Amino acid sequence: MRARLFSLAIAMGVTIAPAFAEEVTVRTGTDLFISGDTVLTEIENQGDVFVASETTTVDGAVLGDLHVAGFDVMVATDVSEDLYAAGASVEIRGDVGGDMTAAGFTLRTTPTAETAGNARLGGNTVTIEGPIAGALSAVGRTVVLNAPVEGDVRVTAKTLAFGDDAVVTGTLYYSSQSRISVPASVAAPERVVFSAIEFDGDWDDFGGVLPIGEMPVFPKAASVFGAFVVSLLFFMILGALALGFMPNKLERLRQGISTAPGWSMVSGALGLSLLIGIVPVSALTVVGIPFIPIAVLAIIVIWTLGYALGGYAVALFVWRSLGEEAEPGKIVRVLLLGGAVTVIALLNFIPFIGWVANFTLVLLGIGAITRMVFGFFIEDVDLPPAMDSKPSRN
């Protein structure tokens, strides 16, 4: 029965997976969620709209907020409230009844894109041609203003230029490497405020503009040792808890690693790939975005458990290889785990070798966990002959 359920789950996953490349629309109340590899659609929605795809071109009208993310984004939709857009290339053509917040490597608002509220724009190259009734905040390497702005304008850019249609009714605050000549048609001299900023300077100069403080330095020896002690105590406590509350299951996991270490590493690579793959798949479905932090937390937890399990299995294998007692007590087992963590920490000072050793332990441990999880669905999924003590079904 479990084998049939597991096979059915795999079949459903294979059937559904290609659908992520197609346009998928989900409606929850007045919220509309759209995702796919390429989204070319005309939207008519009374509430908020969320769109995510590699290439996004949307038109129509949205009476709520519009959220758009993708690699190549073009928004021709008229938005009654706020617009949020992000991508490598972003172009805004529709009217925005509220505020506009957009970011992209290349960002442009066309003359047809009128913003009734404030605009917050950021990118490598930012071109503003759409009129703005509120205030404008723009950050970029190159910023070109070629539109009327009724409120204040605050620009931080290495290069700032103005077009013929640029008019700032409020005060123009701009930060650049050097003072530029602002045409009187853009803003009167008394409404222009300049502050210098050095883009190519070091972090200390940049820290005067952004409150990031000093660049971090290599931690002192006392800090490194303190972090190691805390990590060592954590893993030893984790090992003691596992030995106290689940000794039999822990022993089965360890035996799986000792009996078939190569198969455990393959299973670990598979399990880790499946776990990490949950993050982009959740993002593509849009509705799964709130679950991304949970998936990331699960990756951290499984990674830590796999590291501890792999270290414990290797330490006990070395202990027995040295001719010591085959079944040491729990205190000795915890000390062996602590010794394994200490040795691996010392190996980290050796380039490449330390990383390989750490990752090998992670794969061994996650592999045992993966086989245990799969074994819950398929009773004889991958047990090596030395461990498979169950009677044959034939």
Side-chain angles (χ1 to χ4, degrees), residues 111-178:
T112 60
E114 298 185 8
T115 303
N118 300 329
R120 308 113 178 181
L121 310 176
N124 183 71
T125 302
V126 180
T127 304
I128 305 146
E129 297 180 322
I132 300 172
L136 168 65
S137 299
V139 178
R141 185 177 183 85
T142 301
V143 175
V144 178
L145 177 60
N146 188 28
V149 181
E150 296 184 13
D152 294 338
V153 173
R154 188 176 297 274
V155 178
T156 300
K158 185 174 183 179
T159 303
L160 173 60
F162 300 97
D164 295 337
D165 296 331
V167 177
V168 178
T169 304
T171 301
L172 171 61
Y173 302 89
Y174 75 96
S175 300
S176 188
Q177 289 181 310
S178 59

Short mmCIF file of all heavy atoms in Angstrom, two decimals, residues 111-178:
data_model
loop_
_atom_site.label_atom_id
_atom_site.label_comp_id
_atom_site.label_asym_id
_atom_site.label_seq_id
_atom_site.Cartn_x
_atom_site.Cartn_y
_atom_site.Cartn_z
N PRO A 111 6.61 57.83 -21.43
CA PRO A 111 5.77 59.03 -21.28
C PRO A 111 4.31 58.71 -20.99
O PRO A 111 3.58 59.56 -20.45
CB PRO A 111 5.93 59.74 -22.63
CG PRO A 111 7.26 59.29 -23.14
CD PRO A 111 7.40 57.89 -22.69
N THR A 112 3.86 57.50 -21.33
CA THR A 112 2.46 57.13 -21.07
C THR A 112 2.24 56.67 -19.64
O THR A 112 1.08 56.46 -19.24
CB THR A 112 2.03 56.00 -22.03
OG1 THR A 112 2.88 54.86 -21.83
CG2 THR A 112 2.14 56.46 -23.48
N ALA A 113 3.30 56.50 -18.88
CA ALA A 113 3.19 55.99 -17.50
C ALA A 113 3.11 57.17 -16.54
O ALA A 113 4.13 57.74 -16.14
CB ALA A 113 4.38 55.10 -17.17
N GLU A 114 1.91 57.55 -16.15
CA GLU A 114 1.70 58.64 -15.20
C GLU A 114 1.50 58.07 -13.80
O GLU A 114 0.70 57.15 -13.60
CB GLU A 114 0.50 59.49 -15.60
CG GLU A 114 0.64 60.17 -16.95
CD GLU A 114 -0.52 61.08 -17.26
OE1 GLU A 114 -1.35 61.30 -16.34
OE2 GLU A 114 -0.60 61.59 -18.39
N THR A 115 2.23 58.62 -12.85
CA THR A 115 2.16 58.15 -11.46
C THR A 115 1.49 59.22 -10.61
O THR A 115 1.97 60.35 -10.52
CB THR A 115 3.56 57.85 -10.90
OG1 THR A 115 4.20 56.88 -11.74
CG2 THR A 115 3.48 57.32 -9.49
N ALA A 116 0.35 58.85 -9.97
CA ALA A 116 -0.39 59.82 -9.17
C ALA A 116 0.23 60.03 -7.80
O ALA A 116 0.03 61.07 -7.18
CB ALA A 116 -1.84 59.36 -9.02
N GLY A 117 1.00 59.06 -7.32
CA GLY A 117 1.63 59.17 -6.00
C GLY A 117 3.13 59.37 -6.12
O GLY A 117 3.61 60.06 -7.03
N ASN A 118 3.86 58.77 -5.19
CA ASN A 118 5.31 58.87 -5.19
C ASN A 118 5.93 57.74 -6.01
O ASN A 118 5.33 56.68 -6.18
CB ASN A 118 5.85 58.81 -3.76
CG ASN A 118 5.32 59.94 -2.90
OD1 ASN A 118 5.05 61.03 -3.40
ND2 ASN A 118 5.17 59.69 -1.61
N ALA A 119 7.14 57.97 -6.50
CA ALA A 119 7.87 56.96 -7.26
C ALA A 119 9.21 56.70 -6.59
O ALA A 119 9.95 57.65 -6.27
CB ALA A 119 8.08 57.42 -8.70
N ARG A 120 9.52 55.41 -6.36
CA ARG A 120 10.82 55.01 -5.80
C ARG A 120 11.45 54.05 -6.79
O ARG A 120 10.95 52.94 -7.00
CB ARG A 120 10.66 54.33 -4.45
CG ARG A 120 9.83 55.12 -3.43
CD ARG A 120 8.55 54.41 -3.13
NE ARG A 120 7.75 55.11 -2.12
CZ ARG A 120 6.59 54.65 -1.69
NH1 ARG A 120 6.10 53.51 -2.15
NH2 ARG A 120 5.90 55.34 -0.79
N LEU A 121 12.54 54.47 -7.41
CA LEU A 121 13.13 53.72 -8.51
C LEU A 121 14.60 53.47 -8.24
O LEU A 121 15.30 54.32 -7.70
CB LEU A 121 12.96 54.50 -9.82
CG LEU A 121 11.54 55.01 -10.13
CD1 LEU A 121 11.54 55.85 -11.40
CD2 LEU A 121 10.56 53.85 -10.26
N GLY A 122 15.07 52.30 -8.65
CA GLY A 122 16.47 51.96 -8.46
C GLY A 122 16.96 51.02 -9.55
O GLY A 122 16.21 50.17 -10.03
N GLY A 123 18.23 51.19 -9.97
CA GLY A 123 18.79 50.32 -10.99
C GLY A 123 20.13 50.82 -11.46
O GLY A 123 20.63 51.85 -11.00
N ASN A 124 20.75 50.09 -12.37
CA ASN A 124 22.00 50.54 -12.95
C ASN A 124 21.76 51.74 -13.87
O ASN A 124 22.45 52.75 -13.79
CB ASN A 124 22.65 49.40 -13.72
CG ASN A 124 23.99 49.78 -14.30
OD1 ASN A 124 24.97 49.94 -13.58
ND2 ASN A 124 24.07 49.93 -15.61
N THR A 125 20.77 51.60 -14.73
CA THR A 125 20.36 52.70 -15.61
C THR A 125 18.88 52.96 -15.41
O THR A 125 18.05 52.07 -15.65
CB THR A 125 20.63 52.36 -17.09
OG1 THR A 125 22.01 52.06 -17.27
CG2 THR A 125 20.24 53.52 -17.99
N VAL A 126 18.55 54.15 -14.97
CA VAL A 126 17.16 54.51 -14.68
C VAL A 126 16.77 55.69 -15.57
O VAL A 126 17.39 56.76 -15.51
CB VAL A 126 16.98 54.89 -13.19
CG1 VAL A 126 15.53 55.26 -12.92
CG2 VAL A 126 17.41 53.74 -12.29
N THR A 127 15.75 55.47 -16.38
CA THR A 127 15.25 56.52 -17.28
C THR A 127 13.81 56.82 -16.91
O THR A 127 12.96 55.92 -16.93
CB THR A 127 15.33 56.07 -18.75
OG1 THR A 127 16.68 55.70 -19.06
CG2 THR A 127 14.89 57.19 -19.67
N ILE A 128 13.53 58.07 -16.58
CA ILE A 128 12.20 58.48 -16.11
C ILE A 128 11.60 59.43 -17.14
O ILE A 128 12.05 60.57 -17.29
CB ILE A 128 12.28 59.16 -14.74
CG1 ILE A 128 12.99 58.23 -13.75
CG2 ILE A 128 10.89 59.52 -14.23
CD1 ILE A 128 13.81 58.94 -12.73
N GLU A 129 10.60 58.95 -17.85
CA GLU A 129 9.90 59.76 -18.85
C GLU A 129 8.43 59.95 -18.52
O GLU A 129 7.75 60.74 -19.18
CB GLU A 129 10.04 59.12 -20.23
CG GLU A 129 11.48 59.03 -20.73
CD GLU A 129 11.60 58.39 -22.09
OE1 GLU A 129 10.84 57.43 -22.35
OE2 GLU A 129 12.43 58.85 -22.88
N GLY A 130 7.94 59.20 -17.53
CA GLY A 130 6.54 59.31 -17.15
C GLY A 130 6.33 60.37 -16.09
O GLY A 130 7.08 60.45 -15.11
N PRO A 131 5.32 61.24 -16.22
CA PRO A 131 5.05 62.29 -15.23
C PRO A 131 4.76 61.71 -13.85
O PRO A 131 4.14 60.64 -13.72
CB PRO A 131 3.81 62.99 -15.81
CG PRO A 131 3.79 62.62 -17.25
CD PRO A 131 4.37 61.26 -17.34
N ILE A 132 5.18 62.43 -12.83
CA ILE A 132 5.00 62.00 -11.44
C ILE A 132 4.34 63.13 -10.67
O ILE A 132 4.88 64.25 -10.59
CB ILE A 132 6.34 61.62 -10.80
CG1 ILE A 132 7.00 60.47 -11.58
CG2 ILE A 132 6.14 61.23 -9.34
CD1 ILE A 132 8.41 60.16 -11.13
N ALA A 133 3.16 62.85 -10.09
CA ALA A 133 2.44 63.87 -9.34
C ALA A 133 2.97 64.04 -7.93
O ALA A 133 2.80 65.09 -7.31
CB ALA A 133 0.94 63.53 -9.30
N GLY A 134 3.62 63.02 -7.39
CA GLY A 134 4.16 63.09 -6.04
C GLY A 134 5.65 63.35 -6.06
O GLY A 134 6.17 64.09 -6.90
N ALA A 135 6.36 62.73 -5.12
CA ALA A 135 7.81 62.89 -5.01
C ALA A 135 8.52 61.75 -5.74
O ALA A 135 7.94 60.68 -5.98
CB ALA A 135 8.23 62.93 -3.55
N LEU A 136 9.79 61.98 -6.04
CA LEU A 136 10.59 60.97 -6.75
C LEU A 136 11.86 60.69 -5.97
O LEU A 136 12.58 61.62 -5.58
CB LEU A 136 10.95 61.47 -8.15
CG LEU A 136 12.03 60.66 -8.90
CD1 LEU A 136 11.55 59.25 -9.19
CD2 LEU A 136 12.44 61.38 -10.19
N SER A 137 12.14 59.40 -5.76
CA SER A 137 13.41 58.95 -5.18
C SER A 137 14.03 57.98 -6.17
O SER A 137 13.40 56.98 -6.53
CB SER A 137 13.20 58.27 -3.83
OG SER A 137 12.60 59.15 -2.89
N ALA A 138 15.25 58.28 -6.62
CA ALA A 138 15.90 57.44 -7.63
C ALA A 138 17.36 57.22 -7.26
O ALA A 138 18.06 58.15 -6.86
CB ALA A 138 15.81 58.08 -9.01
N VAL A 139 17.79 55.96 -7.39
CA VAL A 139 19.18 55.58 -7.13
C VAL A 139 19.67 54.76 -8.32
O VAL A 139 19.00 53.82 -8.74
CB VAL A 139 19.31 54.77 -5.84
CG1 VAL A 139 20.76 54.34 -5.63
CG2 VAL A 139 18.82 55.57 -4.65
N GLY A 140 20.83 55.12 -8.87
CA GLY A 140 21.36 54.36 -9.98
C GLY A 140 22.74 54.84 -10.38
O GLY A 140 23.20 55.91 -9.94
N ARG A 141 23.39 54.05 -11.20
CA ARG A 141 24.68 54.49 -11.72
C ARG A 141 24.46 55.64 -12.72
O ARG A 141 25.19 56.62 -12.73
CB ARG A 141 25.39 53.32 -12.41
CG ARG A 141 26.80 53.65 -12.88
CD ARG A 141 27.48 52.43 -13.49
NE ARG A 141 28.85 52.73 -13.88
CZ ARG A 141 29.89 52.69 -13.07
NH1 ARG A 141 29.72 52.33 -11.81
NH2 ARG A 141 31.11 52.99 -13.51
N THR A 142 23.43 55.50 -13.56
CA THR A 142 23.04 56.55 -14.49
C THR A 142 21.55 56.80 -14.34
O THR A 142 20.75 55.87 -14.47
CB THR A 142 23.35 56.15 -15.94
OG1 THR A 142 24.75 55.89 -16.07
CG2 THR A 142 22.95 57.26 -16.90
N VAL A 143 21.18 58.03 -14.06
CA VAL A 143 19.78 58.42 -13.93
C VAL A 143 19.48 59.54 -14.92
O VAL A 143 20.19 60.55 -14.95
CB VAL A 143 19.45 58.88 -12.50
CG1 VAL A 143 18.01 59.39 -12.42
CG2 VAL A 143 19.66 57.74 -11.50
N VAL A 144 18.45 59.33 -15.72
CA VAL A 144 18.02 60.33 -16.71
C VAL A 144 16.60 60.75 -16.37
O VAL A 144 15.69 59.91 -16.37
CB VAL A 144 18.09 59.77 -18.14
CG1 VAL A 144 17.60 60.83 -19.14
CG2 VAL A 144 19.50 59.31 -18.48
N LEU A 145 16.40 62.01 -16.08
CA LEU A 145 15.07 62.55 -15.78
C LEU A 145 14.59 63.35 -16.98
O LEU A 145 15.20 64.35 -17.36
CB LEU A 145 15.11 63.43 -14.53
CG LEU A 145 13.79 64.11 -14.14
CD1 LEU A 145 12.71 63.06 -13.86
CD2 LEU A 145 13.98 65.01 -12.93
N ASN A 146 13.48 62.90 -17.56
CA ASN A 146 12.91 63.57 -18.72
C ASN A 146 11.40 63.61 -18.58
O ASN A 146 10.67 63.20 -19.48
CB ASN A 146 13.32 62.85 -20.01
CG ASN A 146 12.92 63.62 -21.26
OD1 ASN A 146 12.81 64.85 -21.24
ND2 ASN A 146 12.67 62.91 -22.35
N ALA A 147 10.94 64.09 -17.42
CA ALA A 147 9.51 64.14 -17.13
C ALA A 147 9.25 65.17 -16.04
O ALA A 147 10.14 65.46 -15.23
CB ALA A 147 9.01 62.77 -16.70
N PRO A 148 8.04 65.73 -15.98
CA PRO A 148 7.71 66.67 -14.90
C PRO A 148 7.44 65.93 -13.59
O PRO A 148 6.80 64.87 -13.57
CB PRO A 148 6.45 67.36 -15.41
CG PRO A 148 5.83 66.38 -16.36
CD PRO A 148 6.96 65.63 -16.98
N VAL A 149 7.94 66.48 -12.49
CA VAL A 149 7.72 65.93 -11.15
C VAL A 149 7.19 67.06 -10.28
O VAL A 149 7.87 68.09 -10.09
CB VAL A 149 9.01 65.35 -10.55
CG1 VAL A 149 8.73 64.77 -9.16
CG2 VAL A 149 9.60 64.28 -11.45
N GLU A 150 6.01 66.90 -9.73
CA GLU A 150 5.39 67.97 -8.96
C GLU A 150 5.95 68.08 -7.54
O GLU A 150 5.95 69.15 -6.95
CB GLU A 150 3.88 67.77 -8.91
CG GLU A 150 3.20 67.86 -10.26
CD GLU A 150 1.70 67.77 -10.16
OE1 GLU A 150 1.18 67.86 -9.02
OE2 GLU A 150 1.04 67.58 -11.20
N GLY A 151 6.42 66.98 -6.99
CA GLY A 151 6.96 67.01 -5.63
C GLY A 151 8.46 67.17 -5.62
O GLY A 151 9.08 67.56 -6.61
N ASP A 152 9.07 66.84 -4.48
CA ASP A 152 10.52 66.89 -4.36
C ASP A 152 11.15 65.72 -5.11
O ASP A 152 10.55 64.67 -5.29
CB ASP A 152 10.94 66.84 -2.89
CG ASP A 152 10.49 68.08 -2.12
OD1 ASP A 152 10.24 69.12 -2.77
OD2 ASP A 152 10.39 68.01 -0.88
N VAL A 153 12.41 65.92 -5.50
CA VAL A 153 13.17 64.88 -6.19
C VAL A 153 14.47 64.67 -5.43
O VAL A 153 15.19 65.63 -5.14
CB VAL A 153 13.47 65.27 -7.66
CG1 VAL A 153 14.41 64.25 -8.29
CG2 VAL A 153 12.17 65.38 -8.45
N ARG A 154 14.76 63.41 -5.13
CA ARG A 154 16.02 63.06 -4.47
C ARG A 154 16.69 61.97 -5.29
O ARG A 154 16.16 60.87 -5.43
CB ARG A 154 15.78 62.58 -3.03
CG ARG A 154 17.07 62.39 -2.23
CD ARG A 154 16.75 62.01 -0.80
NE ARG A 154 16.03 63.06 -0.10
CZ ARG A 154 16.60 64.08 0.53
NH1 ARG A 154 17.92 64.19 0.53
NH2 ARG A 154 15.87 64.98 1.14
N VAL A 155 17.87 62.29 -5.86
CA VAL A 155 18.56 61.39 -6.76
C VAL A 155 19.98 61.15 -6.25
O VAL A 155 20.68 62.10 -5.88
CB VAL A 155 18.62 61.96 -8.19
CG1 VAL A 155 19.40 61.02 -9.11
CG2 VAL A 155 17.22 62.20 -8.74
N THR A 156 20.38 59.89 -6.25
CA THR A 156 21.77 59.51 -5.98
C THR A 156 22.27 58.75 -7.19
O THR A 156 21.75 57.68 -7.52
CB THR A 156 21.87 58.62 -4.72
OG1 THR A 156 21.37 59.35 -3.60
CG2 THR A 156 23.32 58.24 -4.46
N ALA A 157 23.26 59.31 -7.89
CA ALA A 157 23.72 58.71 -9.14
C ALA A 157 25.14 59.14 -9.44
O ALA A 157 25.57 60.23 -9.05
CB ALA A 157 22.79 59.11 -10.29
N LYS A 158 25.86 58.27 -10.14
CA LYS A 158 27.19 58.65 -10.61
C LYS A 158 27.08 59.63 -11.77
O LYS A 158 27.87 60.57 -11.89
CB LYS A 158 27.96 57.40 -11.04
CG LYS A 158 29.40 57.68 -11.43
CD LYS A 158 30.16 56.40 -11.72
CE LYS A 158 31.62 56.72 -12.03
NZ LYS A 158 32.40 55.48 -12.30
N THR A 159 26.05 59.40 -12.63
CA THR A 159 25.80 60.30 -13.74
C THR A 159 24.33 60.70 -13.73
O THR A 159 23.46 59.82 -13.70
CB THR A 159 26.13 59.62 -15.09
OG1 THR A 159 27.49 59.19 -15.09
CG2 THR A 159 25.90 60.57 -16.25
N LEU A 160 24.07 62.00 -13.73
CA LEU A 160 22.71 62.52 -13.72
C LEU A 160 22.53 63.43 -14.92
O LEU A 160 23.34 64.33 -15.16
CB LEU A 160 22.43 63.29 -12.42
CG LEU A 160 21.10 64.03 -12.33
CD1 LEU A 160 19.93 63.06 -12.45
CD2 LEU A 160 21.02 64.83 -11.03
N ALA A 161 21.46 63.18 -15.69
CA ALA A 161 21.19 63.97 -16.89
C ALA A 161 19.71 64.35 -16.91
O ALA A 161 18.86 63.66 -16.33
CB ALA A 161 21.57 63.19 -18.15
N PHE A 162 19.41 65.43 -17.63
CA PHE A 162 18.04 65.93 -17.73
C PHE A 162 17.66 66.06 -19.19
O PHE A 162 18.45 66.51 -20.03
CB PHE A 162 17.90 67.28 -17.04
CG PHE A 162 18.25 67.26 -15.57
CD1 PHE A 162 19.52 67.64 -15.14
CD2 PHE A 162 17.32 66.85 -14.64
CE1 PHE A 162 19.84 67.61 -13.79
CE2 PHE A 162 17.63 66.81 -13.29
CZ PHE A 162 18.90 67.20 -12.87
N GLY A 163 16.40 65.68 -19.50
CA GLY A 163 15.86 65.84 -20.84
C GLY A 163 15.09 67.14 -20.98
O GLY A 163 14.94 67.92 -20.01
N ASP A 164 14.56 67.36 -22.17
CA ASP A 164 13.85 68.61 -22.43
C ASP A 164 12.55 68.71 -21.63
O ASP A 164 12.09 69.82 -21.34
CB ASP A 164 13.54 68.72 -23.93
CG ASP A 164 14.80 68.83 -24.78
OD1 ASP A 164 15.84 69.26 -24.22
OD2 ASP A 164 14.75 68.47 -25.97
N ASP A 165 11.96 67.59 -21.27
CA ASP A 165 10.68 67.61 -20.56
C ASP A 165 10.84 67.56 -19.05
O ASP A 165 9.85 67.46 -18.31
CB ASP A 165 9.82 66.42 -21.01
CG ASP A 165 9.45 66.50 -22.48
OD1 ASP A 165 9.35 67.64 -22.99
OD2 ASP A 165 9.26 65.44 -23.11
N ALA A 166 12.07 67.62 -18.55
CA ALA A 166 12.30 67.52 -17.11
C ALA A 166 11.95 68.83 -16.42
O ALA A 166 12.47 69.90 -16.76
CB ALA A 166 13.75 67.16 -16.84
N VAL A 167 11.04 68.75 -15.44
CA VAL A 167 10.64 69.91 -14.63
C VAL A 167 10.42 69.43 -13.20
O VAL A 167 9.66 68.48 -12.97
CB VAL A 167 9.35 70.57 -15.16
CG1 VAL A 167 8.94 71.72 -14.24
CG2 VAL A 167 9.53 71.06 -16.58
N VAL A 168 11.07 70.07 -12.25
CA VAL A 168 10.93 69.73 -10.83
C VAL A 168 10.26 70.90 -10.14
O VAL A 168 10.85 71.97 -10.00
CB VAL A 168 12.29 69.41 -10.19
CG1 VAL A 168 12.10 69.10 -8.70
CG2 VAL A 168 12.96 68.24 -10.88
N THR A 169 9.01 70.70 -9.71
CA THR A 169 8.28 71.78 -9.05
C THR A 169 8.76 71.95 -7.61
O THR A 169 8.78 73.06 -7.08
CB THR A 169 6.77 71.47 -9.07
OG1 THR A 169 6.36 71.26 -10.43
CG2 THR A 169 5.98 72.62 -8.48
N GLY A 170 9.14 70.88 -6.96
CA GLY A 170 9.62 70.95 -5.59
C GLY A 170 11.11 71.23 -5.55
O GLY A 170 11.66 71.92 -6.40
N THR A 171 11.76 70.67 -4.55
CA THR A 171 13.20 70.86 -4.37
C THR A 171 13.95 69.66 -4.95
O THR A 171 13.55 68.51 -4.74
CB THR A 171 13.55 71.03 -2.89
OG1 THR A 171 12.84 72.15 -2.35
CG2 THR A 171 15.04 71.25 -2.70
N LEU A 172 15.03 69.94 -5.67
CA LEU A 172 15.85 68.89 -6.25
C LEU A 172 17.07 68.65 -5.37
O LEU A 172 17.93 69.52 -5.22
CB LEU A 172 16.30 69.29 -7.67
CG LEU A 172 17.35 68.37 -8.33
CD1 LEU A 172 16.83 66.95 -8.47
CD2 LEU A 172 17.79 68.94 -9.66
N TYR A 173 17.12 67.47 -4.76
CA TYR A 173 18.29 67.05 -3.98
C TYR A 173 19.03 66.00 -4.81
O TYR A 173 18.46 64.98 -5.17
CB TYR A 173 17.86 66.42 -2.65
CG TYR A 173 17.02 67.30 -1.77
CD1 TYR A 173 15.62 67.30 -1.89
CD2 TYR A 173 17.59 68.11 -0.78
CE1 TYR A 173 14.83 68.10 -1.07
CE2 TYR A 173 16.82 68.90 0.04
CZ TYR A 173 15.44 68.89 -0.11
OH TYR A 173 14.66 69.68 0.70
N TYR A 174 20.29 66.24 -5.10
CA TYR A 174 21.03 65.25 -5.86
C TYR A 174 22.41 65.05 -5.25
O TYR A 174 23.06 65.97 -4.79
CB TYR A 174 21.13 65.62 -7.34
CG TYR A 174 22.10 66.73 -7.69
CD1 TYR A 174 23.40 66.44 -8.13
CD2 TYR A 174 21.73 68.07 -7.60
CE1 TYR A 174 24.29 67.44 -8.46
CE2 TYR A 174 22.61 69.08 -7.93
CZ TYR A 174 23.89 68.76 -8.37
OH TYR A 174 24.78 69.76 -8.69
N SER A 175 22.83 63.76 -5.26
CA SER A 175 24.15 63.38 -4.76
C SER A 175 24.90 62.73 -5.90
O SER A 175 24.42 61.78 -6.52
CB SER A 175 24.03 62.39 -3.59
OG SER A 175 23.31 62.97 -2.52
N SER A 176 26.10 63.25 -6.18
CA SER A 176 26.92 62.74 -7.26
C SER A 176 28.38 63.00 -6.95
O SER A 176 28.71 63.55 -5.90
CB SER A 176 26.51 63.41 -8.58
OG SER A 176 27.17 62.78 -9.66
N GLN A 177 29.26 62.58 -7.87
CA GLN A 177 30.68 62.78 -7.63
C GLN A 177 31.07 64.25 -7.69
O GLN A 177 31.97 64.69 -6.99
CB GLN A 177 31.48 61.97 -8.66
CG GLN A 177 31.42 60.47 -8.45
CD GLN A 177 32.25 59.72 -9.47
OE1 GLN A 177 32.12 59.95 -10.67
NE2 GLN A 177 33.09 58.83 -9.01
N SER A 178 30.40 65.00 -8.53
CA SER A 178 30.73 66.41 -8.67
C SER A 178 29.46 67.18 -9.00
O SER A 178 28.47 66.61 -9.47
CB SER A 178 31.78 66.62 -9.78
OG SER A 178 31.30 66.12 -11.01
#
